[in-house]
Amino acid sequence: MTNVTLAIPDDLHTKMKEHSEIRWSEVVRKTIAEKVEMLEAMDTLAKKSKLTKKDVEEIAHKINKEVFLEMNKK
């Protein structure tokens, strides 16, 4: 198994230490695995898509704008 080193802010590390019962490396490992799985699914979908990169960027921009507006309503 490969080891990966990452940097986190001191305040986050302090909060993590308050929950020493959590296996933080396992949390990170699972999170990375989920992200990779999602990216692989997206790659599979993208290969079948007839959308151009510009089309995807425009859609993503619209989604991001809507999410931003929705989050700022609260």
Side-chain angles (χ1 to χ4, degrees), residues 24-37:
W24 292 107
S25 60
E26 185 63 25
V27 171
V28 173
R29 191 171 17 260
K30 285 181 180 179
T31 303
I32 291 171
E34 289 170 4
K35 185 68 169 187
V36 167
E37 197 174 301

Side-chain angles (χ1 to χ4, degrees), residues 23-60:
R23 292 176 45 206
W24 292 107
S25 60
E26 185 63 25
V27 171
V28 173
R29 191 171 17 260
K30 285 181 180 179
T31 303
I32 291 171
E34 289 170 4
K35 185 68 169 187
V36 167
E37 197 174 301
M38 183 182 71
L39 290 169
E40 288 173 342
M42 288 172 49
D43 287 343
T44 300
L45 289 172
K47 286 178 186 174
K48 298 176 184 176
S49 174
K50 296 194 185 323
L51 293 173
T52 66
K53 182 173 179 159
K54 184 178 179 194
D55 294 333
V56 172
E57 288 172 354
E58 288 175 5
I59 293 168

